Structures are given as C-alpha cells and as structure tokens.
Amino acid sequence: MVAYTPMIQQYLKIKANYQDAFLFFRLGDFYEMFFEDAVNASQELEITLTSRDGGGQERIPMCGVPYHSAPNYIEQLVTKGYKVAICEQTEDPKQAKGVVKREVVQLITPGTVMEGKGLQDKENNYIASITDFDAQYGLTLCDLTTGENLTALCSSFDELLSELYSVGAKEVVISSDFPEGLKKQIVDRCGATLSYQTELTNDESHAHLLKHLHDERLTKTFTRLITYIQRTQKRSLDHLQPVKVYYLSDTMKIDLFSKRNLELTETIRSKGKKGSLLWLLDETKTAMGGRLLKQWVDKPLVDRSMIEARLAMVETFIANYFEREDLRELLKEVYDLERLSGRVAFGNVNARDLMQLKKSLMQVPQIDALCKSLEKQSELLTKLDPCEELTNLLEESIIEHPPLSIKDGNIIKDGYNTQLDQYRDASRNGKTWIAQLEQQERQKTGIKSLKIGYNKIFGYFIEVTRANLHLLQEGTYERKQTLSNAERFITPELKEKETLILEAEEKIVELEYQLFVEIREKVKEYIPRLQNLAKQLSQLDVLQCFATVSETRHYCKPEFSTKNALHIMDGRHPVVEKVMDSQEYVANHCTFGENRSMLLITGPNMSGKSTYMRQIALTAILAQIGCYVPASKAVLPIFDQIFTRIGAADDLISGQSTFMVEMLEAKNAIANATSQSLILFDEIGRGTSTYDGMALAQAIIEYIHEYIGAKTLFSTHYHELTVLENELTSLQNIHVKAIEENGRVVFLHKIEEGAADKSYGIHVAELADLPSPLIQRAKEILTKLEKEKQQTDEAHSQPIVREETIGDSQLSLFPAERTKKSTTTKQVSKKEQTVIDWLKTLDLLEMTPLDAMNELYQLQRKVKS
Ligand code: ADP
C-alpha cells in the first residue's frame, strides 16, 4: 500500500468517480492534474510536465494551468472530444482544518459546453441519449445552449445512426450494457463521445418537460439524458423546453451515406460547410436562422401542404423586394435569443448580453409591422411577441455601454434604484468635497502645486513637493509616504471623507451586482416567450433566405405532380453552377413518367454523369424544404426517400472495402426504397471484376425495375447494359454528349436520349497529357481489340441478351471468352516475344483504362530498351 498524503488521497477518491474525464483539481490559483491525467494533458495541451512528492516512493507526475486561463485549456480538450471535471475548493482554506474540502462542481463535455469557440453560431450542439428496445431505438436530443429537446423512435440502428449523423450529435449517453459493436459504430460513423448513465431518476423537477410524451420508451430515453445532464451540470436548467416528439416518417428519409454523398451540409473531402448545399443556401441573417436552415436541409418535408405553405411565403418575399431587404436589415440587429436564454438560465450572462437582448427586442415591432404589410398573409406569419415589459425593464435599468465584468459596477442606470442613487450621491459629493478641499488647501498654504490624489494602498493623500514643505503648518499634516521629490500627507478630515467615499463605492459595486442578478432573474421569467419569439424569427429568416437565393440565382417555383411524374426543364446543379462562376453551366432536362421510371446513363468519364444525377436529387430536396429550384420549370413528385451510391466515398473509417460499402449502400436502397423514392446509382459494380460487376449491375437494374419501381438514375460504363432498354419497359437510355474535334474529345455536358456510342477512355488519357506515343499505341491496340471482338461476336451468334426469367435456364449474359490464338512469326526477337507473352497474360476486361495505360507504358519501354 502506498502511503499517499491526505491531499493525494482526496484526489484519488474524487478521481475514482470521473475515470473518463480530466480532473482539474483546484490548488490555490491553479488547476492541477496528477498521474496519468497529467501525462496525457501535458501532451494534449503542450504544457510542462513536472512531478511532486505525494507520500509514495516515486514522485507523482503533475501539470497545471492557472485558473484564470483555464477556460481556454478546457475548450481545447473538449473540442478534441474529452471531458473535463472541474473540482473546486468548497471551503475557505484559512478556515479549513486539515485538507481543504473539494468537490466536482461541473463536468464539461462535448455535448454540454455552453460557450467558447467549440460552439458554432449556426450549428446546434446536441447531446443525445439512446435506449435499445429490441432493435428499435429511443432517441432524445438536447441542445443545452438553446434549451431545445427532441425525441423520436427509430425503427432500425441504421436509421438511428443516420439521425445522429445528420444532427451532428457530439455526445451520446447510453446505459453501460449497450452492445459493444453498436457503440463502436456510433463513435466511428458519427465521431461522438460516449457517456454512460445507467441509473435513471424520476425527479419531479423535470416532470414538466415530459408533458408531450406518451410513449414509455421515449420517456425512459429522455430520463436517461436529463439524469445525466443534472448529474454533470449541477446548476439551473430552467431554459429547457418540454420535449418535442418528432416522427421520422414526417420527413424525407436520406440515409447517412446519401447525406454525405449529396454533400448536403458538408463536403466529402474537406468535411467543411463550404461547397455544400447549406453553404449555397445560407443567406440567413441570424444565428438562429442559420441553425434552423441546417435543420430544414437535413429534413426535407413530405407533407405537400406544409411544403406549399413555405413556398408561398418565399413567393411573397420574392414579390416584395423592398420589404425583404428591410427585413434583412432588421434581422441583422437580432441577437441569438435562444442561446442567450440558455445563458440567462445557466447564470453566465453579462450586461452587454442584456443590452443586445434589448436591441433585438426593439426590432420586433418593426418586423411585425413589416410582415403585416406584405401583400399575402400566411399561417406562417404569426404575430410576434415583442416582450415589451422586458424591453422597458432593460431600458430603465442597464446603461448603454456596460463593461464585460458584472462584478465591478458601472452597469445600472441612475434613477433605477433609490438606494443606489443615494450611495452614488455620497460618493459623488465626497469627490466634490475633495476637489473643494484641494482648492482650500492651496489657498491656505499658498502652494499652487499642492494636489490631492488617490492610490489603492494609501487611499486619499495631499501631495506637496519637497521645495514647498516649509509652507505647511506644523502638526496639522500627518506624513504617509515619501517620494523622491515630494511628500504625501493625510489629515483627519480627509481620512473621514475617504472612509465615506470608499464605503459608498464598495456598496455601489455590491448593490449593482445584486441588482444585476435580480434583473437576470426577471429575464429568466421571459425565457419561454423569448424562445417562442426566437422560433418565429428564425423561420422568417430562413424564408427570406430562400427568397434571396431563389431570386439571385434565378430559380423557379416547383410544382408537385399528382401523377408521380417528374419533369425538369433546364435543370442545373446548384452548387457546381455557383462555383463555376463565369463559365457556362450547361442546363439539362430530365423526365420521368409512365413507362419511364429508370434512366440508364452512359457517357465518357468526366462528362457530367454524376453531376447530372446529383442535380436531380438536390432539386428534389430544395423543393421539399420549400425553396425554389435551379431550373426554368420543374414538376416533381414528392419523394419519400432518396438513396445514392455515388463516387469514391471510400469508407476508410469503418475499415470496409470500397466494394463492400458499395454493396451495403445498394442493399440499403433495395431493401427500403418504394415507388415514391429516388435512387441514384453511379457506376455500381465497378469495384469488382468486369463480369461480376456487370452481372450485378444488370441484376440490380432488373430487380428495381420489377419489384420496386422507384425513380432511378443509373450511370454505367458497361455499354453492354444499354441493350436492356429493349427488354425492360420502363428503362430508357440517355447519354452525355461528347464530340470529337480534331481527334480530341470535347465534353458538351449535354444529356441526350439514347445510348452513348463510344468509350472515350483514351481521349481522357490524352487530356491528362499522357505521352503521345503511348496514346498512339493505345489507339492501335483498341482498334485491334475491337476488331477481335467483332470477329468473336460473329463467331458466337449470341450477343449480350437478358434471359427472360432468372431461373433454371442457362444464363448467357456475356459472350464467351476470346479464344483466338495470337500468331507470332519467326522474325520476332526474344525481347519482343517476352512482351507478347506478357501482353497475352493481361486480362484487359479486368483493368481500368489507367491500369491499361500503365501496362502499355511498361510494355513499350521493354520493347524499346
Ligand atoms: P462523370 O460522372 O461523368 O465522370 P462528373 O459529373 O464528375 O462526370 O463531371 C465532371 C466535371 O464536369 C464536373 O466537375 C464539372 O466541373 C463539369 N460538369 C459536369 N456537368 C456539367 C454541366 N452540366 N455544365 C458544365 N460543366 C459540367
């Protein structure tokens, strides 16, 4: 047994309850960390690791941060996903007998931070809790900064993951017996920190939050969350709003992969907002509007009347340009009422915040009047509550430019509190009296340079230069301090006044703080009204934002088809179009209807296939969040779900192979899509060998065609698949047009009916500036291979055909393997023969064009060497 000192024993006892957190242990003016915490923190925070004697044989590793700069260090740790337990001294060290009492006053975690750079203005900071009910999952979300509480029941773990990912939950609270495998997925896929709360307490203090909950499972899940928050935060949570139940079926389902692929709120590469749909749309003027916009983008609606209500408001804002511009100006002055309410409840609001609150509230009557003046009224334009009494209270009580600190006075206006006015009078009179005394003393002594000053150590003093000392009357002045060329004195009457002034000033500071806290408590009573106002204002902000984007980018108002048809004229990809800037984006049409539910897109690489597919999905999403769309005309169905398998979003994190992810995404679509869904499959089957891949691609197309009927865009480089148009009644070929000019390929990015007729791989290689002899050789080989293929095809009367039924009958999907023997002549050198043999071993159909290029390059080098 190591005989640690009592303080280290105390540390270890506290630390035992906070194993997964850094324990910031208060020691005087520092927070110290010991043992493993110290080693880890010194690395994470780049601070010096020292050690101290703790009673044992070995010295204990230790590092520390000054308490006044602790917030900065805490923020660094929490942003990295760690938790920090703040352990304070809870008794005055002077009074303490033995070791000073200490306890943890707050656990700061990624999901519970209330301030700092880790919080983004335009993003919610959710902490979630999950409970597992036989493959269904209760999910609750709380944004402690805004007080919002949400809950939903997820019918599968995938659905749950997708929700956690899209809301960007920073921390997930689970019980200790939650399955290990699932925990790992939560951390890997969503990057969330895990926390545990197994015991649930049914505390009366949060009963009012449960009033809308009628499902035991959701109540249990929320109770887990609130128990955890109460246990860790140990402070007022008065701003928390009653939990709102939401149903995933009320919004368009977009799974985790598809959200990522479509780059709705962040881009695949940089994981940043720039370049995403959210980035394009964000013309909001308030932080609250920014957060609501993200929520809307994450959850497009499926209820037609709700979508149309939003669209109608956007139309009104487009038609009323001047009102919209005025509204934007007014909204600029509106502060983050939601987060402010949170800080009021948490008790960390300052007087400047309250001034901003007043300023925000003062905009409300004008915003309300402006909304009433709009030509068309709507149910989305509800009367705004200006919280007039609160505005008046703040107007009467707090000065216009208060300091940041709430403990040093200078906050409260004159006239607000009689007692304060009296103290201020005393202090001000005292100061006038001192100014008069200075005059009198100058006259009495005849010393013009005599002055009365003040410093913190000696208080008020009379200062006389050395040369004038002889003019002072003996015995009246008491010497207090000697300077190099002057002496400082006090007199009994100056001391008496000083006491009065200082007492008054002390009382002023004390009283101002007390009054400020009282005002803050009064503001607390308005929190539900402020939260309600915040909701209305953020909605207005998002709707004006849609109108602004739609007008500047020339979008059109979508209509919704009752016949499940889709018809987009001159559609564009909203983000690519914006990024291209001055270059012309080529607009394209898209039509789905009866006998046309699947489009098979062929065309060279880089011609615009996936851009086209994404633009259809983004158009649907924009329409269903209530925004106009990038087209000259758009008639759309209301999609219940969107599935995508696009591009090379290799799933390195989860350690699965690209092909496995490709198949998982395909499975997800096939298992869940309905005839009301949209599926985008880009180059499915590419990740495996040619025959395998092509067979899978065809089978997937056939399956969707036969059993699902979802609107599907399927791009492929397997030209062989285009014959399916003859077999499948609802499938049509389209292609991206490219032309050859002077032997080079030019992509027109124009979508046309029918299949593409050529593979342009070599031309793309040419564009990539591969050496011209290599390109020349590739062209020769291609011609040769094409000739060979033609001969083989002629030899085998069966081209690529689809068997009517996939049953017992022999599958004859592909032509038989090429059997033709290469001929060699006697003139061939040994070196050439090696190359020929090498060439024969190549399985071209298994190679990408680039692999082929590389091989060719090697072969050529061999022959030339
Ligand atoms: P593919 O899927 O056929 O390989 P992409 O869709 O990735 O091709 O498009 C390649 C590039 O072509 C895009 O990055 C974009 O810059 C450009 N592009 C695509 N579609 C268009 C268009 N309609 N108009 C203009 N440029 C486009």
CSV table of all heavy atoms in Angstrom, one decimal, residues 796-830:
chain,number,residue,atom,x,y,z
A,796,HIS,N,-19.8,-16.1,-82.3
A,796,HIS,CA,-20.8,-16.6,-81.3
A,796,HIS,C,-22.0,-15.8,-81.6
A,796,HIS,O,-22.1,-14.6,-81.4
A,796,HIS,CB,-20.3,-16.3,-79.9
A,796,HIS,CG,-19.0,-17.0,-79.6
A,796,HIS,ND1,-19.0,-18.2,-79.0
A,796,HIS,CD2,-17.7,-16.6,-79.8
A,796,HIS,CE1,-17.7,-18.6,-78.8
A,796,HIS,NE2,-17.0,-17.6,-79.4
A,797,SER,N,-23.0,-16.5,-82.1
A,797,SER,CA,-24.2,-15.8,-82.6
A,797,SER,C,-25.0,-15.1,-81.5
A,797,SER,O,-25.8,-14.3,-81.7
A,797,SER,CB,-25.1,-16.8,-83.3
A,797,SER,OG,-25.3,-17.9,-82.5
A,798,GLN,N,-24.7,-15.5,-80.2
A,798,GLN,CA,-25.5,-14.9,-79.1
A,798,GLN,C,-24.8,-13.6,-78.5
A,798,GLN,O,-23.7,-13.8,-77.9
A,798,GLN,CB,-25.6,-15.9,-77.9
A,798,GLN,CG,-26.5,-17.1,-78.2
A,798,GLN,CD,-28.0,-16.7,-78.4
A,798,GLN,OE1,-28.5,-15.9,-77.5
A,798,GLN,NE2,-28.6,-17.1,-79.4
A,799,PRO,N,-25.3,-12.4,-78.8
A,799,PRO,CA,-24.7,-11.3,-78.1
A,799,PRO,C,-25.2,-11.2,-76.7
A,799,PRO,O,-25.7,-12.1,-76.2
A,799,PRO,CB,-25.2,-10.1,-78.9
A,799,PRO,CG,-26.5,-10.6,-79.5
A,799,PRO,CD,-26.4,-12.1,-79.6
A,800,ILE,N,-25.0,-10.0,-76.0
A,800,ILE,CA,-25.4,-9.9,-74.6
A,800,ILE,C,-27.0,-9.9,-74.6
A,800,ILE,O,-27.6,-8.9,-75.2
A,800,ILE,CB,-24.9,-8.6,-74.0
A,800,ILE,CG1,-23.4,-8.5,-74.2
A,800,ILE,CG2,-25.4,-8.4,-72.6
A,800,ILE,CD1,-22.9,-7.1,-74.1
A,801,VAL,N,-27.5,-10.9,-74.1
A,801,VAL,CA,-29.0,-10.8,-74.0
A,801,VAL,C,-29.4,-11.1,-72.6
A,801,VAL,O,-28.7,-11.7,-71.8
A,801,VAL,CB,-29.7,-11.9,-74.9
A,801,VAL,CG1,-29.7,-11.5,-76.4
A,801,VAL,CG2,-29.0,-13.3,-74.7
A,802,ARG,N,-30.6,-10.7,-72.3
A,802,ARG,CA,-31.1,-10.9,-71.0
A,802,ARG,C,-32.0,-12.1,-71.0
A,802,ARG,O,-32.9,-12.2,-71.9
A,802,ARG,CB,-31.9,-9.6,-70.5
A,802,ARG,CG,-32.6,-9.8,-69.3
A,802,ARG,CD,-33.4,-8.6,-68.9
A,802,ARG,NE,-34.1,-8.9,-67.7
A,802,ARG,CZ,-35.4,-9.1,-67.8
A,802,ARG,NH1,-36.1,-9.0,-68.9
A,802,ARG,NH2,-36.1,-9.3,-66.7
A,803,GLU,N,-31.8,-13.0,-70.1
A,803,GLU,CA,-32.8,-14.2,-70.1
A,803,GLU,C,-34.1,-13.6,-69.5
A,803,GLU,O,-34.1,-12.8,-68.6
A,803,GLU,CB,-32.2,-15.2,-69.1
A,803,GLU,CG,-31.0,-15.9,-69.6
A,803,GLU,CD,-31.3,-16.8,-70.8
A,803,GLU,OE1,-32.3,-17.5,-70.7
A,803,GLU,OE2,-30.5,-16.9,-71.8
A,804,GLU,N,-35.2,-14.1,-70.0
A,804,GLU,CA,-36.5,-13.7,-69.6
A,804,GLU,C,-36.7,-13.9,-68.1
A,804,GLU,O,-37.1,-13.1,-67.4
A,804,GLU,CB,-37.6,-14.3,-70.4
A,804,GLU,CG,-38.0,-13.5,-71.6
A,804,GLU,CD,-38.1,-12.0,-71.3
A,804,GLU,OE1,-38.9,-11.6,-70.4
A,804,GLU,OE2,-37.5,-11.2,-71.9
A,805,THR,N,-36.4,-15.1,-67.7
A,805,THR,CA,-36.5,-15.4,-66.3
A,805,THR,C,-35.2,-15.9,-65.8
A,805,THR,O,-34.4,-16.6,-66.4
A,805,THR,CB,-37.5,-16.6,-66.1
A,805,THR,OG1,-37.1,-17.7,-67.0
A,805,THR,CG2,-38.9,-16.2,-66.4
A,806,ILE,N,-34.9,-15.4,-64.6
A,806,ILE,CA,-33.6,-15.8,-64.0
A,806,ILE,C,-34.0,-17.1,-63.2
A,806,ILE,O,-34.3,-17.0,-62.0
A,806,ILE,CB,-33.1,-14.7,-63.1
A,806,ILE,CG1,-32.9,-13.5,-64.0
A,806,ILE,CG2,-31.7,-15.1,-62.5
A,806,ILE,CD1,-32.5,-12.3,-63.2
A,807,GLY,N,-33.9,-18.2,-63.9
A,807,GLY,CA,-34.3,-19.4,-63.2
A,807,GLY,C,-33.4,-20.5,-63.5
A,807,GLY,O,-32.2,-20.4,-63.5
A,808,ASP,N,-34.0,-21.7,-63.9
A,808,ASP,CA,-33.1,-22.8,-64.2
A,808,ASP,C,-32.3,-22.7,-65.5
A,808,ASP,O,-31.3,-23.2,-65.6
A,808,ASP,CB,-34.0,-24.1,-64.3
A,808,ASP,CG,-34.8,-24.3,-63.0
A,808,ASP,OD1,-34.3,-23.8,-62.0
A,808,ASP,OD2,-35.8,-25.0,-63.1
A,809,SER,N,-32.9,-21.9,-66.4
A,809,SER,CA,-32.3,-21.8,-67.7
A,809,SER,C,-30.9,-21.3,-67.6
A,809,SER,O,-30.6,-20.5,-66.8
A,809,SER,CB,-33.1,-21.0,-68.7
A,809,SER,OG,-33.3,-19.7,-68.1
A,810,GLN,N,-30.1,-21.7,-68.5
A,810,GLN,CA,-28.7,-21.3,-68.5
A,810,GLN,C,-28.5,-19.8,-68.7
A,810,GLN,O,-29.1,-19.3,-69.6
A,810,GLN,CB,-28.0,-22.1,-69.7
A,810,GLN,CG,-26.6,-21.9,-69.8
A,810,GLN,CD,-25.8,-22.6,-68.7
A,810,GLN,OE1,-26.2,-23.7,-68.2
A,810,GLN,NE2,-24.8,-21.9,-68.2
A,811,LEU,N,-27.8,-19.2,-67.9
A,811,LEU,CA,-27.5,-17.7,-68.1
A,811,LEU,C,-26.5,-17.5,-69.2
A,811,LEU,O,-25.5,-18.1,-69.2
A,811,LEU,CB,-27.0,-17.1,-66.8
A,811,LEU,CG,-28.0,-16.8,-65.7
A,811,LEU,CD1,-27.3,-16.2,-64.5
A,811,LEU,CD2,-29.0,-15.8,-66.2
A,812,SER,N,-26.9,-16.7,-70.2
A,812,SER,CA,-25.9,-16.4,-71.2
A,812,SER,C,-25.7,-14.9,-71.3
A,812,SER,O,-26.1,-14.3,-72.3
A,812,SER,CB,-26.4,-17.0,-72.5
A,812,SER,OG,-27.6,-16.5,-72.8
A,813,LEU,N,-25.3,-14.3,-70.2
A,813,LEU,CA,-25.2,-12.8,-70.2
A,813,LEU,C,-24.2,-12.3,-71.1
A,813,LEU,O,-24.3,-11.2,-71.7
A,813,LEU,CB,-24.9,-12.4,-68.8
A,813,LEU,CG,-26.1,-12.5,-67.8
A,813,LEU,CD1,-25.6,-12.2,-66.4
A,813,LEU,CD2,-27.1,-11.5,-68.2
A,814,PHE,N,-23.1,-13.0,-71.2
A,814,PHE,CA,-21.9,-12.4,-71.9
A,814,PHE,C,-21.4,-13.3,-73.0
A,814,PHE,O,-21.5,-14.5,-72.9
A,814,PHE,CB,-20.8,-12.1,-70.9
A,814,PHE,CG,-21.4,-11.4,-69.7
A,814,PHE,CD1,-21.6,-12.0,-68.5
A,814,PHE,CD2,-21.7,-10.1,-69.8
A,814,PHE,CE1,-22.1,-11.4,-67.4
A,814,PHE,CE2,-22.3,-9.4,-68.8
A,814,PHE,CZ,-22.5,-10.1,-67.6
A,815,PRO,N,-20.7,-12.7,-73.9
A,815,PRO,CA,-20.1,-13.6,-75.0
A,815,PRO,C,-19.0,-14.4,-74.4
A,815,PRO,O,-18.4,-14.1,-73.4
A,815,PRO,CB,-19.5,-12.6,-76.0
A,815,PRO,CG,-19.4,-11.3,-75.2
A,815,PRO,CD,-20.4,-11.3,-74.1
A,816,ALA,N,-18.8,-15.6,-75.0
A,816,ALA,CA,-17.7,-16.5,-74.5
A,816,ALA,C,-16.4,-15.8,-74.5
A,816,ALA,O,-16.2,-14.8,-75.3
A,816,ALA,CB,-17.7,-17.7,-75.3
A,817,GLU,N,-15.5,-16.2,-73.7
A,817,GLU,CA,-14.1,-15.6,-73.7
A,817,GLU,C,-13.5,-15.8,-75.1
A,817,GLU,O,-13.7,-16.7,-75.8
A,817,GLU,CB,-13.3,-16.4,-72.7
A,817,GLU,CG,-13.8,-16.2,-71.3
A,817,GLU,CD,-12.7,-15.6,-70.5
A,817,GLU,OE1,-11.9,-14.8,-71.0
A,817,GLU,OE2,-12.6,-15.9,-69.3
A,818,ARG,N,-12.7,-14.7,-75.3
A,818,ARG,CA,-11.9,-14.7,-76.5
A,818,ARG,C,-10.9,-15.9,-76.6
A,818,ARG,O,-10.2,-16.2,-75.6
A,818,ARG,CB,-11.1,-13.4,-76.6
A,818,ARG,CG,-11.1,-12.8,-77.9
A,818,ARG,CD,-10.5,-11.5,-77.8
A,818,ARG,NE,-11.5,-10.5,-77.5
A,818,ARG,CZ,-11.5,-9.8,-76.3
A,818,ARG,NH1,-10.7,-10.1,-75.4
A,818,ARG,NH2,-12.5,-8.9,-76.1
A,819,THR,N,-11.0,-16.7,-77.7
A,819,THR,CA,-10.1,-17.9,-77.7
A,819,THR,C,-9.1,-17.8,-78.8
A,819,THR,O,-8.2,-18.6,-78.9
A,819,THR,CB,-11.0,-19.2,-77.9
A,819,THR,OG1,-11.8,-18.9,-79.1
A,819,THR,CG2,-11.8,-19.5,-76.7
A,820,LYS,N,-9.2,-16.8,-79.6
A,820,LYS,CA,-8.3,-16.6,-80.7
A,820,LYS,C,-6.9,-16.7,-80.3
A,820,LYS,O,-6.5,-16.0,-79.3
A,820,LYS,CB,-8.6,-15.3,-81.4
A,820,LYS,CG,-8.8,-15.4,-82.9
A,820,LYS,CD,-9.1,-14.1,-83.4
A,820,LYS,CE,-8.8,-14.1,-84.9
A,820,LYS,NZ,-9.0,-12.7,-85.4
A,821,LYS,N,-6.1,-17.4,-81.0
A,821,LYS,CA,-4.7,-17.5,-80.7
A,821,LYS,C,-3.9,-16.4,-81.4
A,821,LYS,O,-4.1,-16.1,-82.5
A,821,LYS,CB,-4.1,-18.9,-81.1
A,821,LYS,CG,-4.6,-20.0,-80.4
A,821,LYS,CD,-3.5,-20.9,-79.9
A,821,LYS,CE,-3.8,-22.1,-79.2
A,821,LYS,NZ,-4.5,-22.1,-78.1
A,822,SER,N,-2.9,-15.9,-80.7
A,822,SER,CA,-2.1,-14.9,-81.3
A,822,SER,C,-1.1,-15.6,-82.2
A,822,SER,O,-0.7,-16.7,-81.9
A,822,SER,CB,-1.2,-14.1,-80.2
A,822,SER,OG,-2.1,-13.6,-79.3
A,823,THR,N,-0.8,-14.9,-83.3
A,823,THR,CA,0.2,-15.6,-84.2
A,823,THR,C,1.5,-14.8,-84.0
A,823,THR,O,1.6,-13.6,-83.9
A,823,THR,CB,-0.3,-15.5,-85.6
A,823,THR,OG1,-0.7,-14.1,-85.9
A,823,THR,CG2,-1.4,-16.4,-85.9
A,824,THR,N,2.6,-15.6,-84.0
A,824,THR,CA,3.9,-15.0,-84.0
A,824,THR,C,4.7,-15.4,-85.2
A,824,THR,O,4.4,-16.5,-85.8
A,824,THR,CB,4.6,-15.4,-82.7
A,824,THR,OG1,4.6,-16.8,-82.6
A,824,THR,CG2,4.0,-14.8,-81.5
A,825,THR,N,5.6,-14.6,-85.6
A,825,THR,CA,6.4,-15.0,-86.7
A,825,THR,C,7.8,-15.3,-86.3
A,825,THR,O,8.2,-14.9,-85.2
A,825,THR,CB,6.4,-13.9,-87.8
A,825,THR,OG1,7.1,-12.8,-87.2
A,825,THR,CG2,5.1,-13.5,-88.3
A,826,LYS,N,8.6,-15.9,-87.2
A,826,LYS,CA,9.9,-16.2,-86.8
A,826,LYS,C,10.8,-15.0,-86.6
A,826,LYS,O,11.8,-15.1,-85.9
A,826,LYS,CB,10.5,-17.1,-87.9
A,826,LYS,CG,10.0,-18.5,-87.8
A,826,LYS,CD,10.8,-19.5,-88.6
A,826,LYS,CE,10.2,-20.9,-88.5
A,826,LYS,NZ,9.7,-21.2,-89.9
A,827,GLN,N,10.4,-13.9,-87.2
A,827,GLN,CA,11.3,-12.7,-87.1
A,827,GLN,C,11.3,-12.1,-85.7
A,827,GLN,O,12.1,-11.3,-85.4
A,827,GLN,CB,10.9,-11.6,-88.1
A,827,GLN,CG,11.2,-11.9,-89.5
A,827,GLN,CD,10.1,-12.7,-90.2
A,827,GLN,OE1,9.1,-13.0,-89.6
A,827,GLN,NE2,10.4,-13.2,-91.4
A,828,VAL,N,10.3,-12.5,-84.9
A,828,VAL,CA,10.2,-11.9,-83.6
A,828,VAL,C,11.4,-12.2,-82.7
A,828,VAL,O,11.8,-13.3,-82.6
A,828,VAL,CB,8.9,-12.4,-82.9
A,828,VAL,CG1,8.8,-12.0,-81.4
A,828,VAL,CG2,7.7,-11.9,-83.6
A,829,SER,N,11.9,-11.1,-82.1
A,829,SER,CA,13.1,-11.3,-81.3
A,829,SER,C,12.7,-11.8,-79.9
A,829,SER,O,11.5,-11.8,-79.6
A,829,SER,CB,13.8,-9.9,-81.0
A,829,SER,OG,12.9,-9.1,-80.2
A,830,LYS,N,13.6,-12.2,-79.1
A,830,LYS,CA,13.4,-12.8,-77.8
A,830,LYS,C,12.7,-11.8,-76.9
A,830,LYS,O,11.7,-12.1,-76.2
A,830,LYS,CB,14.7,-13.3,-77.2
A,830,LYS,CG,14.5,-14.5,-76.4
A,830,LYS,CD,15.8,-15.0,-76.0
A,830,LYS,CE,15.7,-16.0,-74.8
A,830,LYS,NZ,16.9,-16.2,-74.1
